[in-house]
Amino acid sequence: MNKIKIMDWIEKACEFEKRKMSHMSTSDRVSASREAKKIVLGLNEIYKANKDKNLMDWMKRVTIKKRKIDKRIKGRLEI
């Protein structure tokens, strides 16, 4: 894989992780969730090629943040 491409995806993941997620509208949350999915899929393509543990850690961190966003989009389930 191209080293520049790897660094671009890691940079996007780093920016996404540092971004504040408070006081977001629902449409902002949806777009952030979609962006997180793109980042994870991009990192996954690179991970398939070289099996770098660092990439797996980035994917996990972005996925955790994505799950938090998705939880806020769907709302709390009340029975």
Side-chain angles (χ1 to χ4, degrees), residues 1-10 41-52 55:
M1 273 288 150
N2 189 356
K3 195 99 168 143
I4 297 171
K5 190 174 183 181
I6 295 170
M7 294 307 293
D8 286 343
W9 282 113
I10 291 175
L41 291 176
L43 288 171
N44 190 33
E45 286 299 316
I46 298 168
Y47 178 78
K48 287 179 189 177
N50 61 10
K51 305 291 186 198
D52 184 10
L55 291 175

Side-chain angles (χ1 to χ4, degrees), residues 22-67:
S22 59
H23 306 295
M24 293 176 78
S25 67
T26 302
S27 64
D28 291 339
R29 286 189 184 97
V30 170
S31 64
S33 178
R34 289 178 181 161
E35 182 183 354
K37 183 177 179 179
K38 287 178 187 176
I39 291 169
V40 170
L41 291 176
L43 288 171
N44 190 33
E45 286 299 316
I46 298 168
Y47 178 78
K48 287 179 189 177
N50 61 10
K51 305 291 186 198
D52 184 10
K53 299 285 185 193
N54 190 27
L55 291 175
M56 180 58 78
D57 292 338
W58 277 108
M59 286 190 289
K60 287 179 183 178
R61 295 198 315 236
V62 172
T63 301
I64 289 169
K65 194 155 191 168
K66 182 185 181 309
R67 285 182 183 163

